[in-house]
Amino acid sequence: MFKGEEWNISFAGCGFSSLYYLGALSCILEHAPHLVRLASKIGGASSGCLVAACLVVGIPIGEFLCVLLGGVQDSLLRYLPPDAHLWASGRLCVSLTRLSDGENLLVTEFDNREELIQVLLCSCFFPLYCGVTPPSYRGVRYMDGALSNNMPLHDQRNTITVSPFCGEADICPREGGLGVLAVHYGNLGIRVSQLNVKRIYRSFFPPEPLAEMSHNGYMDALRFLRRNGEIVLIAELGSSCLFVRNMEI
């Protein structure tokens, strides 16, 4: 896949539905880790930028739960290493929405660890839900990056897009809707469906079926890898699957 070319990975913002990414990334890291290791840039908006930051800085994906379900600022202060900004600069892409005019800003360079944390907090700040006064970055106030660009890097060649909502992303649930892609939210197209409504609801409240959401992410990523020749399915028995790697990887 993408032989001789560069590629990026982008994660849509989705609040607590980001638990879907735990499964998707577990699958990718198990069967095609080079997709993460060799990606030119890894981007995200809102909660998606936390996933991207974990991958770029090297925080184990399982510990991402502590960032998502715990206090975001406290978790970032705890888990981001002192040189996190050095790992992130040039490779991490964070989407921000400027409070004054709603314009989008993509940040890829970070002067220090504190600035990296501030950028991540700005991207995750959903108005009212997270408070009244948005945080600031370099003296300017920003809010949830998903409001203006929920899929950073989507317009660049060979960007692998990931979303827990059924729609246009490369890795996402596949199911029927009401016919067409009817809603575009910050460059992310999603289907109008009852299940997507439930997923949006789960984005704002910690979901109960954690294992189910993670499992769905794993299987959707698995389908993407198979479709693009990263792995070949040789047997499937119930929920148990046996795999053999593509010899060209």
Side-chain angles (χ1 to χ4, degrees):
M1 181 179 183
F2 306 147
K3 292 181 180 179
E5 300 183 63
E6 294 184 350
W7 65 87
N8 308 304
I9 305 176
S10 184
F11 297 92
C14 55
F16 291 110
S17 291
S18 294
L19 295 174
Y20 174 93
Y21 296 143
L22 295 178
L25 287 171
S26 294
C27 180
I28 293 173
L29 294 174
E30 178 182 354
H31 299 293
H34 62 285
L35 291 182
V36 171
R37 186 177 67 253
L38 301 179
S40 297
K41 286 185 172 63
I42 301 179
S46 194
S47 60
C49 77
L50 300 179
V51 178
C54 286
L55 290 176
V56 169
V57 175
I59 298 175
I61 297 304
E63 294 182 10
F64 167 67
L65 277 172
C66 297
V67 178
L68 183 63
L69 298 178
V72 174
Q73 184 171 9
D74 291 341
S75 296
L76 291 174
L77 288 170
R78 176 181 178 183
Y79 286 104
L80 288 182
D83 61 348
H85 60 291
L86 300 178
W87 289 93
S89 290
R91 191 161 186 243
L92 176 65
C93 180
V94 181
S95 174
L96 306 180
T97 301
R98 193 161 54 213
L99 178 64
S100 61
D101 57 8
E103 288 297 310
N104 183 256
L105 175 69
L106 297 180
V107 183
T108 58
E109 299 292 334
F110 312 91
D111 288 344
N112 50 57
R113 178 176 179 266
E114 290 69 28
E115 185 172 90
L116 170 60
I117 291 175
Q118 202 63 21
V119 169
L120 295 173
L121 291 176
C122 285
S123 185
C124 292
F125 186 90
F126 195 87
L128 299 181
Y129 183 82
C130 296
V132 177
T133 305
S136 62
Y137 160 61
R138 296 185 177 179
V140 179
R141 295 197 181 279
Y142 292 91
M143 55 185 175
D144 198 314
L147 297 174
S148 56
N149 186 352
N150 201 20
M151 195 64 81
L153 307 172
H154 77 287
D155 57 344
Q156 296 190 19
R157 179 177 174 82
N158 291 340
T159 293
I160 301 171
T161 54
V162 193
S163 167
F165 307 119
C166 176
E168 296 177 337
D170 296 308
I171 299 176
C172 71
R174 302 296 179 190
E175 63 209 19
L178 296 184
V180 297
L181 291 171
V183 178
H184 280 77
Y185 172 63
N187 294 324
L188 175 67
I190 63 175
R191 288 188 180 277
V192 175
S193 71
Q194 185 176 11
L195 287 176
N196 266 345
V197 171
K198 290 181 179 179
R199 294 183 184 109
I200 293 173
Y201 174 83
R202 287 177 179 174
S203 298
F204 292 94
F205 303 97
E208 292 297 331
L210 304 184
E212 177 185 350
M213 187 176 296
S214 180
H215 172 76
N216 291 340
Y218 187 101
M219 298 307 295
D220 291 338
L222 180 61
R223 181 177 58 247
F224 170 80
L225 295 178
R226 290 175 59 195
R227 186 171 65 244
N228 288 278
E230 297 297 332
I231 55 177
V232 179
L233 180 65
I234 59 175
E236 181 172 345
L237 299 175
S239 60
S240 175
C241 301
L242 301 174
F243 304 94
V244 60
R245 288 179 179 267
N246 187 312
M247 296 302 293
E248 296 181 352
I249 294 179

